[in-house]
Amino acid sequence: MHNKLKLPLFLFGCPRSGTTYLQSLLTAHPEIISLPETKFFHYLLPNNEPKRRILGMASRRLRPKLETLFKNEMNRPDLLKYLPKNTLFIRQYTRRFLKIMNLLAEEQGKSIWLEKTPEHIRYIDYIEKNVPIAKFIHIQRNGIDVVASLYEVSNKYPKFWYGGFDIDHCIDRWIEAVNITSQHLHKNNHILVKYEKLVDDTPTILKELCKFIGIEFDNKMLEDYQETAKSLVRKQSGRVVSQGAVNTRLQKFYQVFDQSQQEYILSRFTEVGQEQN
């Protein structure tokens, strides 16, 4: 395995904001490879295991999750041999993960790898410190649309989402993602994509992203993304990308919630000054 790291891209935002759709478009580019959500940093850092965090040890949850990803989601159990055998430390696991991503890119002759996990927006500082050449793509969608979609899908597929979310949790997740994004957009290695603009004028937004990444725009991004999506969507996630994205502003909001719920959600957004965008 070569030591030179391919260009790492990290894509995130609040769940149900179009991360998978944008991932599919980008991965259709001949220079970019991606894979199903790894949730690597989400499971790497032992936030609920204080003793392990103090010692710099990875969470106990990490290895079982990676085994499931490589064996079941990707059908690549051979990748497990690159994971640390005799160490439990966070930094060693991080280096091995980066090597695995680099290897996957080399296998397919790609110069860039893209990791998409919405939850990784919470670990930007750690990723920037340990992957200093990385570039970060944030995507945001109308808050009310996100809340409706997140509420609906988490309650439809509670096992995948670790339980159905209540309305407040959905709103809090969106606000959290927006606030974190706003703290990083002054940096040259971060860029924001508005979901609605991506849907309305996909070629223009993709050309802007290609310039940010440092590659030439390729029409394959528009032509092949539906096929690309099939290898990226995890089972039972409730994500449907094969038919493309549709800008159905507020439509689901009125379908999913009754009038009292609608009024409550609108009042919550008004309270935090976020309104609908």
Side-chain angles (χ1 to χ4, degrees):
M1 189 184 303
H2 296 156
N3 291 324
K4 186 177 179 181
L5 190 64
K6 305 295 185 179
L7 176 62
L9 296 177
F10 290 91
L11 167 62
F12 35 52
C14 182
R16 312 304 293 180
S17 292
T19 54
T20 305
Y21 175 53
L22 181 52
Q23 178 191 24
S24 302
L25 290 164
L26 291 171
T27 307
H29 192 285
E31 291 296 324
I32 300 176
I33 184 177
S34 192
L35 56 155
E37 292 179 10
T38 69
K39 298 185 183 291
F40 176 78
F41 296 100
H42 176 67
Y43 288 114
L44 171 70
L45 302 175
N47 295 325
N48 297 319
E49 303 169 81
K51 290 184 179 179
R52 296 179 74 86
R53 191 169 182 86
I54 291 171
L55 295 173
M57 299 170 66
S59 170
R60 290 187 177 91
R61 302 182 301 166
L62 177 61
R63 192 176 184 95
K65 294 296 180 181
L66 291 177
E67 290 178 356
T68 298
L69 172 69
F70 294 149
K71 290 181 180 179
N72 302 338
E73 299 289 343
M74 296 177 58
N75 195 27
R76 290 293 305 271
D78 57 295
L79 295 175
L80 293 173
K81 67 184 179 183
Y82 295 108
L83 295 179
K85 293 181 179 179
N86 301 316
T87 181
L88 299 173
F89 292 102
I90 291 172
R91 289 187 177 181
Q92 282 84 349
Y93 255 109
T94 300
R95 286 197 290 267
R96 293 298 181 92
F97 174 74
L98 296 176
K99 284 188 176 182
I100 289 172
M101 297 297 291
N102 208 42
L103 173 65
L104 292 172
E106 287 186 357
E107 284 180 352
Q108 297 190 25
K110 310 288 188 177
S111 62
I112 300 165
W113 54 258
L114 168 66
E115 202 292 323
K116 188 275 292 186
T117 299
E119 290 87 350
H120 284 170
I121 195 170
R122 295 168 171 164
Y123 305 100
I124 292 175
D125 292 340
Y126 179 83
I127 297 172
E128 283 192 319
K129 181 179 179 180
N130 289 275
V131 196
I133 67 171
K135 293 189 176 183
F136 301 86
I137 301 171
H138 304 246
I139 186 168
Q140 286 181 4
R141 184 182 181 187
N142 170 277
I144 289 176
D145 283 336
V146 170
V147 169
S149 182
L150 189 54
Y151 179 86
E152 181 184 54
V153 75
S154 66
N155 284 281
K156 186 176 182 179
Y157 300 100
K159 184 177 180 180
F160 182 88
W161 292 88
Y162 303 101
F165 297 161
D166 62 29
I167 290 174
D168 283 315
H169 181 77
C170 295
I171 296 172
D172 291 341
R173 286 290 294 272
W174 186 85
I175 292 173
E176 176 192 33
V178 170
N179 288 340
I180 293 174
T181 290
S182 68
Q183 297 169 14
H184 295 276
L185 291 182
H186 66 284
K187 303 173 184 177
N188 292 332
N189 60 335
H190 289 256
I191 192 172
L192 172 63
V193 174
K194 292 285 190 177
Y195 173 81
E196 290 76 17
K197 289 184 179 180
L198 176 65
V199 174
D200 289 342
D201 192 359
T202 309
T204 297
I205 299 301
L206 289 180
K207 288 175 183 176
E208 292 176 359
L209 284 172
C210 286
K211 183 178 179 181
F212 168 76
I213 296 168
I215 53 178
E216 294 291 330
F217 171 77
D218 194 302
N219 278 320
K220 290 183 178 180
M221 302 170 79
L222 300 171
E223 298 166 355
D224 299 343
Y225 78 93
Q226 294 180 353
E227 187 64 28
T228 301
K230 296 177 182 178
S231 64
L232 301 175
V233 178
R234 301 182 72 179
K235 301 171 185 176
Q236 299 302 312
S237 66
R239 295 180 177 89
V240 179
V241 186
S242 59
Q243 300 302 316
V246 179
N247 192 350
T248 55
R249 187 175 173 90
L250 300 185
Q251 181 177 327
K252 189 177 291 290
F253 175 70
Y254 294 110
Q255 294 174 345
V256 172
F257 301 118
D258 60 34
Q259 185 173 349
S260 62
Q261 290 172 320
Q262 293 169 19
E263 292 174 354
Y264 174 74
I265 293 168
L266 290 172
S267 69
R268 282 273 339 252
F269 276 106
T270 302
E271 282 177 9
V272 296
Q274 298 288 356
E275 297 295 334
Q276 299 174 10
N277 291 294

